[in-house]
Amino acid sequence: MENLENLYREVILEHYKNPRNKGLLPDPSYVTVHIKNPSCGDDITIQTKIKDNQIVDCRHEGKGCSICCSSASVLTETMIGKSTDKAKIIADNYLKMVANKIYDEKIDLEEAEVYIGVRQFPARVKCASIAWQAFMQALAKK
Amino acid sequence: MENLENLYREVILEHYKNPRNKGLLPDPSYVTVHIKNPSCGDDITIQTKIKDNQIVDCRHEGKGCSICCSSASVLTETMIGKSTDKAKIIADNYLKMVANKIYDEKIDLEEAEVYIGVRQFPARVKCASIAWQAFMQALAKK
Amino acid sequence: MEQNIWRADFPQITEKDMIYLDSAASSLKPNSVIMAVTHYDHDLSANIHRGVYKEAYEATFLYEETREKVARFINAIPEEIVFTRGATAALNLVALSYGLKNIHPGDEIIVSELEHHSSLLPWQNVALKTGAKLVYVPLDSEGRITIANFESVLSDHTKVVALTYISNVLGYITPIAEIITLAHAKKAITVIDAAQAIEHMPVDVKTLKCDFLAFSGHKMLGPTGIGILYGKQEYLEIMEPIEVGGDMNDNVNKYDAEWKDSPYKFEAGTMPIASAIGLGTAIDYWQEHNIMAMEDHVRRLRKYTYTQIKKIPGITIYNPTSETGLIAFNIDGVHAHDASSYFAEHNVCLRAGHHCAQLVMKWLNIEACLRASLFFYNTFADCDRFIDATKNAVKFFHKMGF
Amino acid sequence: MEQNIWRADFPQITEKDMIYLDSAASSLKPNSVIMAVTHYDHDLSANIHRGVYKEAYEATFLYEETREKVARFINAIPEEIVFTRGATAALNLVALSYGLKNIHPGDEIIVSELEHHSSLLPWQNVALKTGAKLVYVPLDSEGRITIANFESVLSDHTKVVALTYISNVLGYITPIAEIITLAHAKKAITVIDAAQAIEHMPVDVKTLKCDFLAFSGHKMLGPTGIGILYGKQEYLEIMEPIEVGGDMNDNVNKYDAEWKDSPYKFEAGTMPIASAIGLGTAIDYWQEHNIMAMEDHVRRLRKYTYTQIKKIPGITIYNPTSETGLIAFNIDGVHAHDASSYFAEHNVCLRAGHHCAQLVMKWLNIEACLRASLFFYNTFADCDRFIDATKNAVKFFHKMGF
Ligand SMILES: Cc1ncc(COP(=O)(O)O)c(C=O)c1O
Ligand SMILES: Cc1ncc(COP(=O)(O)O)c(C=O)c1O
């Protein structure tokens, strides 16, 4: 039970029920990346607008479980206003953290920190990762 | 060694080296059946001419190992002159004998008797059988 | 304690605390099957069909004996039994070989929204490639294929009827015998997906008169990697192989080649020998036990479990009237993947997702659902653990704010 | 006694008196591989890719980990590794998906008479279906594919070069790297049959630069029923799946569907999970041992055995200069099947027949031959038994009047 309570933390539920920055914009200045989780049908699209190496906006849309949808919302809140360099470091460490790999604990992951509970659920790591992977791809595309 | 000497009996070698009734005839009054042994490339064709329920001629052609080729030759010698009823009984018992099944030991298999050694070589039962199976099919076709 | 005479044969559940309710995805394997596979790997380990030495001969014998066992099991002859990688490969073989050759623009292929993707997509592909029309049997209000609805889409243009015998999500049994008779009256061929049926009822292809029927080893106590295509000899004979290569040919010349007779022409290269032999042993298991008694037990489990689950507020069940051991459900407001982690934490193994049947999900108007599948080795104690877990899951997710 | 550090891992030969000289047909399996298969069957027995519970997760993990192991083993990336039923299925997939779509009348496909039927027939079929021309590399006087002879048939029309890396009858190594470079200069794609190579030499697809490469688990210490297609990502991405069904799709609609990315789109339905996991363990075995040392040992065995067999009057050897562990031979005047029974009676397991390579037999102008294949777990004592058996066989058949 403890593991599960650690998984479904309040922040996660809050973002699941009240997602921030949701809905895509028909604006070509955004980089759009769409990712699916082949093993469970989660389906997430991330839009990122970058100006002068700054994430000026980040949006999401999609469907899936609470971990998947909320992590997309948390991602957008975390990233808006960050420099692309900083964003890359945060996303990289977040992805390592949820996959239970060695990561730099000194980096402040802000709200995204709560996804640490996912480490106990290897089958759910992908759920917590796909939005962030899509974001990483968007950065790489830029 | 004993098993092997039992397998390659003199009669068998004799027929292998000097096959009787070999070569097919372009005569439509013969029933022709072609069988292959998918597992080893043996390839035998049997021609049978039946008149008034009598096997008046039987011929063979093909390639394969000594067991396969000789048994075709022995088949033809055994069958020529037999009634179809008698032929069926002999062939049926021969096939049972080589497959190590229960058969009627009172039936005279004539020279074909020597193939009893094949029973000790399950992997070679097919070699000894295909000519005789082709003959059985020819009878059924009639 | 309750007696389950079969359970002791399944080490996966007797040797640890696991409530296995995912047999519709893959059944557990009895000790005898595990040992048959090990026997091949450990003692034989030889290729088949060409070896004269003892091990090769025994392997060949066991492989071909399995073909005979399968044939007897479904009342066919060995020549009508093709080994494949699984039900999916079997259904594709029919579609690619028979379908692409014999279906023409304007022809109609009847399928249903209950189909598993492995039964649907091969024919969707044939329709797209040939210009034939894919026609869906309308499902009734429960989600069933009925004879009346089937008749409403059957026409003189119908060339293929490709339907599931038992739905892998809702567990409904299709009135397939009647449908086959109706299809044959229109000279349509029938391709039956028996992947969920073969382990729940006696299947007799001569009584059914189906033209093709497919199933997988791993859902019927056998190993992964092996499946069966049954086909009427007259069809298998005229069908071309899709994969060509070693062992399936007779004469090979530089610019052309001849194939062996069916079923060998469909088995190219080294086949899954160990898995085929394991399937033979799985069939022995079915022959040694009473499938009707097993299925009776499943139905009792299903009835008990359904009655209890239905009482829990906050649960939606999608197949209340199912006659086989499946319960398709969701916890209201909780995505199936969130829910399944809860069950997994309590060692209750069930499946979450679309179950390779997205059209059923769309028909139910849901994204995904949970599926508990009961099998003969399950016990009432298993059901109780599942029922308790469900109750607690509802409470848990409520507490967490879902 | 001579030391063989590998032999103890193979129960098939340590637990009984068997001189196994048929590894080119199917290799023996080390204990670790047998145990890996049993681990899946006995402890997991769950389907992959969709389960959230522990057993399903572990099975998925092991299956996907095998893909990574295979990728590392041949220096590819996991996305380039497709699981198939075997080398035959892999080679067919390239021919059916890439070949039928991209080959046109007048195009040329280069093959050789050394090809195993599984490498030849898929392209013979493409040639027949598309109107392309099948072109044979002339073999040199020993029966080898040479660079010069390859150049003599390479042309601006060449679109596909489908060749074996090592012949399964004569054991010759094709100068494949040079051939691939020449083929690429003509913009032809290269499809390498590595079924006999992967277990005899390090294979590095990045160094070779081949476009496709195929091999089977069961010849490289793994289980039956699993094989690998390596394909460059740029080709796999544009290729359509041949089999469609569960697990390989994204969105499924009533009249169309989308596929997952490669390699998943090529893996329809439940795959041979146990065999894939076993293959992963086989690759561990290769990684933990020194393949160069193993092959060195094989060459020493081959040299010793060849020298002895050559001395026996009444023996014809067809591949005197072979650089790998094969000896292809006949006892003069004795059909290979007759001879093989003699060897089998003396527990010497070798293969007789055309070895799924009828064009080589025709080239050698024989019906069939015997093939002894030496592998790293064989010993000089094995070779002596084989040499003695051969001598005695010659005497025996002479005595019997052959
Ligand atoms: C050179 C070669 N290619 C292809 C194959 C086919 O492999 P499989 O039968 O495992 O599909 C074999 C093995 O028989 C072979 O030796
Ligand atoms: C009804 C149905 N048809 C077909 C299949 C496909 O079987 P497999 O994945 O073993 O090929 C399944 C199993 O997933 C199924 O439940």
Side-chain angles (χ1 to χ4, degrees):
Chain A
M1 283 299 260
E2 247 174 65
N3 280 343
L4 275 170
E5 287 180 0
N6 251 324
L7 179 63
Y8 296 117
R9 298 267 279 280
E10 220 170 291
V11 178
I12 295 179
L13 264 290
E14 222 282 300
H15 276 268
Y16 183 42
K17 303 193 120 178
N18 306 299
R20 322 293 147 77
N21 308 307
K22 187 161 179 175
L24 305 179
L25 298 177
D27 178 343
S29 68
Y30 283 77
V31 182
T32 303
V33 176
H34 177 200
I35 292 201
K36 294 182 180 195
N37 180 351
S39 56
C40 69
D42 293 348
D43 184 325
I44 292 287
T45 305
I46 299 292
Q47 275 191 328
T48 313
K49 181 169 178 146
I50 298 169
K51 220 176 139 180
D52 303 333
N53 291 319
Q54 202 75 14
I55 317 285
V56 295
D57 196 15
C58 190
R59 311 196 55 80
H60 68 101
E61 182 62 83
K63 56 184 186 181
C65 65
S66 65
I67 302 297
C68 174
C69 294
S70 68
S71 69
S73 171
V74 169
L75 166 83
T76 58
E77 278 218 326
T78 310
M79 294 309 176
I80 294 173
K82 296 277 186 306
S83 72
T84 51
D85 285 350
K86 187 77 204 272
K88 220 175 278 176
I89 291 170
I90 293 176
D92 183 52
N93 271 283
Y94 170 88
L95 288 168
K96 284 179 177 152
M97 175 186 76
V98 296
N100 209 2
K101 291 186 186 151
I102 293 166
Y103 69 106
D104 186 347
E105 298 186 30
K106 290 190 305 292
I107 306 290
D108 184 5
L109 300 180
E110 304 177 13
E111 274 195 339
E113 199 93 48
V114 299
Y115 289 88
I116 195 164
V118 173
R119 301 202 293 187
Q120 306 303 324
F121 295 85
R124 304 296 298 283
V125 171
K126 273 200 181 167
C127 309
S129 304
I130 61 169
W132 291 65
Q133 281 164 345
F135 176 74
M136 285 289 256
Q137 287 183 21
L139 288 194
K141 268 197 187 176
K142 209 28 218 189
Chain B
M1 284 299 261
E2 247 176 65
N3 280 342
L4 275 170
E5 289 180 356
N6 250 323
L7 178 64
Y8 296 117
R9 298 268 279 279
E10 222 171 291
V11 178
I12 293 179
L13 265 289
E14 222 283 298
H15 276 270
Y16 182 42
K17 303 192 118 180
N18 307 299
R20 323 293 149 75
N21 307 306
K22 187 160 178 174
L24 305 180
L25 298 177
D27 178 342
S29 69
Y30 283 76
V31 182
T32 303
V33 175
H34 177 200
I35 291 201
K36 294 180 183 198
N37 181 351
S39 56
C40 68
D42 291 349
D43 184 323
I44 291 287
T45 305
I46 299 292
Q47 276 192 327
T48 314
K49 180 169 179 145
I50 298 169
K51 219 175 136 179
D52 303 334
N53 290 321
Q54 203 75 14
I55 316 286
V56 296
D57 196 15
C58 191
R59 310 195 56 80
H60 68 100
E61 182 61 82
K63 56 181 188 184
C65 64
S66 66
I67 302 297
C68 174
C69 295
S70 68
S71 70
S73 171
V74 170
L75 166 83
T76 59
E77 279 218 327
T78 310
M79 294 309 177
I80 294 172
K82 297 279 185 307
S83 73
T84 52
D85 285 350
K86 188 78 204 277
K88 217 174 280 176
I89 290 169
I90 292 176
D92 183 52
N93 272 282
Y94 169 87
L95 288 168
K96 283 179 178 151
M97 175 186 76
V98 295
N100 210 2
K101 292 186 185 152
I102 294 164
Y103 70 105
D104 187 345
E105 300 186 28
K106 291 191 304 295
I107 306 291
D108 184 4
L109 299 181
E110 305 177 12
E111 274 195 337
E113 199 93 48
V114 299
Y115 289 88
I116 195 165
V118 173
R119 300 203 292 187
Q120 305 303 323
F121 295 84
R124 306 295 299 281
V125 170
K126 272 199 181 166
C127 310
S129 303
I130 63 169
W132 291 66
Q133 279 163 347
F135 176 75
M136 283 290 257
Q137 285 183 22
L139 288 191
K141 269 196 184 177
K142 207 32 220 185
Chain C
M1 230 204 74
E2 89 190 83
Q3 293 283 332
N4 182 313
I5 54 164
W6 310 289
R7 191 171 176 94
D9 300 324
F10 296 85
Q12 302 86 356
I13 41 178
T14 52
E15 292 181 10
K16 66 184 165 195
D17 181 40
M18 155 156 135
I19 311 298
Y20 191 70
L21 304 181
D22 199 18
S23 297
S26 217
S27 74
L28 301 177
K29 292 138 194 68
N31 276 312
S32 59
V33 169
I34 300 168
M35 278 162 54
V37 170
T38 305
H39 172 57
Y40 171 78
D41 283 344
H42 186 280
D43 304 322
L44 304 176
S45 189
N47 214 323
I48 58 172
H49 284 162
R50 282 172 203 287
V52 163
Y53 53 93
K54 208 165 92 259
E55 287 74 13
Y57 178 77
E58 188 183 335
T60 308
F61 179 83
L62 292 171
Y63 180 83
E64 290 301 332
E65 190 189 41
T66 296
R67 199 191 304 278
E68 287 165 23
K69 286 179 185 176
V70 173
R72 275 197 301 276
F73 190 54
I74 62 169
N75 196 18
I77 56 171
E79 287 74 17
E80 295 171 326
I81 304 299
V82 182
F83 286 121
T84 66
R85 198 185 66 237
T88 302
L91 294 164
N92 274 281
L93 178 54
V94 183
L96 291 168
S97 177
Y98 183 89
L100 287 181
K101 197 129 191 179
N102 296 285
I103 304 303
H104 305 288
D107 288 350
E108 293 180 1
I109 301 168
I110 297 183
V111 293
S112 86
E113 290 154 274
L114 281 188
E115 299 316 302
H116 187 280
H117 296 160
S118 293
S119 171
L120 173 70
L121 294 176
W123 294 106
Q124 192 181 81
N125 178 48
V126 169
L128 288 169
K129 291 243 167 80
T130 61
K133 200 173 144 195
L134 208 59
V135 177
Y136 283 83
V137 188
L139 301 180
D140 79 355
S141 60
E142 284 185 3
R144 286 175 186 274
I145 299 168
T146 63
I147 296 171
N149 283 357
F150 175 74
E151 284 187 292
S152 76
V153 291
L154 183 68
S155 84
D156 291 340
H157 301 291
T158 309
K159 286 286 153 7
V160 173
V161 174
L163 290 175
T164 189
Y165 201 155
I166 296 187
S167 152
N168 71 315
V169 176
L170 302 178
Y172 299 150
I173 302 176
T174 309
I176 208 74
E178 296 85 339
I179 284 177
I180 291 165
T181 307
L182 291 167
H184 283 167
K186 295 285 187 189
K187 301 205 183 337
I189 65 142
T190 50
V191 187
I192 310 306
D193 175 1
Q196 295 289 339
I198 194 81
E199 66 278 37
H200 285 291
M201 47 167 63
V203 170
D204 179 328
V205 294
K206 289 284 172 294
T207 307
L208 287 179
K209 299 195 180 65
C210 55
D211 303 295
F212 296 98
L213 183 123
F215 52 92
S216 280
H218 71 97
K219 291 186 199 278
M220 58 178 296
L221 312 180
T224 53
I226 189 79
I228 298 294
L229 175 65
Y230 157 82
K232 274 187 190 158
Q233 228 180 341
E234 60 194 278
Y235 292 115
L236 292 182
E237 268 168 16
I238 58 161
M239 278 160 59
E240 283 290 310
I242 298 302
E243 292 184 342
V244 292
D247 214 27
M248 52 69 73
N249 50 75
D250 267 337
N251 245 332
V252 172
N253 304 310
K254 277 173 108 168
Y255 303 103
D256 56 26
E258 287 159 43
W259 315 139
K260 282 185 190 164
D261 288 338
S262 166
Y264 300 104
K265 69 178 169 190
F266 300 111
E267 297 174 8
T270 303
M271 292 294 289
I273 307 173
S275 295
I277 291 173
L279 176 60
T281 309
I283 287 177
D284 292 342
Y285 193 95
W286 290 109
Q287 300 282 25
E288 287 156 13
H289 294 86
N290 181 344
I291 187 166
M292 303 301 277
M294 290 152 134
E295 199 48 25
D296 252 24
H297 174 65
V298 172
R299 279 170 208 203
R300 268 180 284 123
L301 293 177
R302 162 82 175 51
K303 189 172 170 196
Y304 172 73
T305 310
Y306 169 72
T307 312
Q308 300 299 316
I309 297 285
K310 197 178 59 164
K311 288 187 201 152
I312 305 171
I315 296 286
T316 302
I317 299 179
Y318 302 106
N319 60 347
T321 65
S322 174
E323 51 274 67
T324 56
L326 301 186
I327 300 180
F329 69 107
N330 266 324
I331 301 176
D332 300 342
V334 181
H335 192 284
H337 285 104
D338 288 319
S340 69
S341 279
Y342 184 92
F343 286 100
E345 276 293 288
H346 295 80
N347 294 341
V348 175
C349 306
L350 38 73
R351 194 134 292 227
H354 53 57
H355 314 284
C356 298
Q358 291 182 27
L359 299 187
V360 192
M361 295 298 114
K362 288 179 189 169
W363 189 88
L364 291 168
N365 208 10
I366 55 179
E367 254 176 54
C369 73
L370 295 162
R371 178 187 70 185
S373 47
L374 297 158
F375 210 25
F376 63 86
Y377 41 60
N378 289 122
T379 58
F380 284 94
D382 287 349
C383 298
D384 282 333
R385 281 276 291 277
F386 166 56
I387 294 159
D388 281 348
T390 310
K391 284 180 191 160
N392 292 330
V394 173
K395 280 186 213 147
F396 171 81
F397 286 106
H398 191 251
K399 189 183 89 184
M400 296 311 287
F402 274 75
Chain D
M1 229 205 73
E2 91 191 80
Q3 291 284 333
N4 182 312
I5 55 165
W6 310 289
R7 191 172 174 94
D9 300 323
F10 295 86
Q12 302 87 356
I13 41 178
T14 53
E15 292 182 10
K16 64 183 166 196
D17 180 40
M18 156 155 136
I19 310 298
Y20 192 70
L21 304 181
D22 199 18
S23 297
S26 217
S27 74
L28 302 177
K29 292 139 194 69
N31 277 313
S32 59
V33 168
I34 301 168
M35 277 163 54
V37 170
T38 305
H39 172 57
Y40 172 78
D41 283 346
H42 186 280
D43 303 321
L44 304 177
S45 189
N47 214 323
I48 56 170
H49 284 162
R50 282 172 203 288
V52 163
Y53 54 92
K54 207 165 92 261
E55 287 75 13
Y57 178 76
E58 189 183 336
T60 308
F61 178 82
L62 292 172
Y63 180 83
E64 291 300 333
E65 190 189 41
T66 296
R67 198 190 304 277
E68 288 164 23
K69 287 179 184 175
V70 173
R72 273 197 301 276
F73 191 54
I74 62 170
N75 196 19
I77 56 171
E79 287 72 17
E80 296 172 325
I81 303 300
V82 182
F83 286 121
T84 67
R85 199 184 65 235
T88 302
L91 293 165
N92 274 280
L93 178 54
V94 183
L96 291 168
S97 178
Y98 183 89
L100 287 182
K101 198 129 189 178
N102 295 286
I103 305 302
H104 305 289
D107 289 349
E108 294 180 1
I109 301 168
I110 297 184
V111 293
S112 86
E113 290 155 275
L114 282 187
E115 299 316 302
H116 187 280
H117 295 160
S118 293
S119 171
L120 174 70
L121 294 175
W123 295 105
Q124 192 181 82
N125 178 47
V126 169
L128 288 169
K129 291 244 166 79
T130 61
K133 201 173 144 196
L134 208 58
V135 177
Y136 284 83
V137 188
L139 301 181
D140 78 357
S141 60
E142 285 186 4
R144 287 176 186 273
I145 299 169
T146 62
I147 296 172
N149 283 356
F150 176 73
E151 284 187 293
S152 77
V153 291
L154 183 67
S155 84
D156 291 339
H157 300 294
T158 309
K159 286 286 154 13
V160 174
V161 174
L163 290 175
T164 190
Y165 200 155
I166 296 188
S167 152
N168 72 314
V169 176
L170 302 179
Y172 298 150
I173 303 176
T174 310
I176 208 74
E178 296 84 340
I179 285 178
I180 291 165
T181 306
L182 292 167
H184 283 168
K186 296 284 187 190
K187 300 206 182 342
I189 64 142
T190 50
V191 187
I192 310 306
D193 175 2
Q196 296 288 338
I198 194 80
E199 65 278 38
H200 286 291
M201 48 166 66
V203 170
D204 178 328
V205 294
K206 289 286 172 293
T207 306
L208 288 178
K209 298 196 179 66
C210 56
D211 302 297
F212 297 98
L213 183 125
F215 53 90
S216 279
H218 71 98
K219 291 187 200 277
M220 58 178 296
L221 313 180
T224 55
I226 190 79
I228 298 295
L229 174 65
Y230 157 81
K232 275 189 191 157
Q233 227 181 343
E234 60 193 279
Y235 292 115
L236 292 182
E237 266 169 17
I238 58 162
M239 278 161 59
E240 283 291 308
I242 298 303
E243 293 185 341
V244 292
D247 214 26
M248 51 69 74
N249 51 74
D250 268 337
N251 245 333
V252 172
N253 304 310
K254 278 173 106 167
Y255 303 103
D256 56 28
E258 288 159 43
W259 315 138
K260 281 184 191 164
D261 287 338
S262 166
Y264 300 103
K265 69 179 170 191
F266 299 111
E267 297 174 8
T270 303
M271 292 294 289
I273 307 172
S275 295
I277 292 173
L279 175 59
T281 308
I283 288 177
D284 292 342
Y285 193 94
W286 290 108
Q287 301 282 26
E288 288 156 13
H289 295 84
N290 181 344
I291 187 166
M292 302 301 277
M294 290 152 134
E295 198 50 23
D296 252 22
H297 174 65
V298 171
R299 278 167 209 205
R300 268 180 283 125
L301 294 177
R302 161 77 170 61
K303 191 174 169 194
Y304 172 73
T305 311
Y306 168 71
T307 312
Q308 299 300 315
I309 297 286
K310 197 179 56 164
K311 291 187 200 152
I312 306 171
I315 296 287
T316 302
I317 299 180
Y318 302 107
N319 60 347
T321 66
S322 175
E323 51 274 69
T324 57
L326 301 186
I327 301 179
F329 69 108
N330 265 323
I331 301 176
D332 300 341
V334 181
H335 191 284
H337 285 104
D338 288 319
S340 70
S341 279
Y342 184 90
F343 287 99
E345 276 293 285
H346 295 79
N347 292 342
V348 176
C349 307
L350 38 72
R351 193 134 294 226
H354 53 56
H355 314 284
C356 298
Q358 291 183 26
L359 299 188
V360 192
M361 296 299 114
K362 287 180 189 166
W363 188 87
L364 290 168
N365 207 11
I366 55 179
E367 252 176 54
C369 73
L370 295 163
R371 179 188 68 187
S373 46
L374 297 158
F375 211 24
F376 63 88
Y377 40 61
N378 289 123
T379 58
F380 284 93
D382 287 349
C383 298
D384 283 333
R385 281 275 293 276
F386 166 56
I387 295 159
D388 281 348
T390 310
K391 286 180 189 159
N392 292 329
V394 173
K395 282 186 210 145
F396 171 81
F397 286 107
H398 190 250
K399 189 184 90 187
M400 296 312 286
F402 273 77

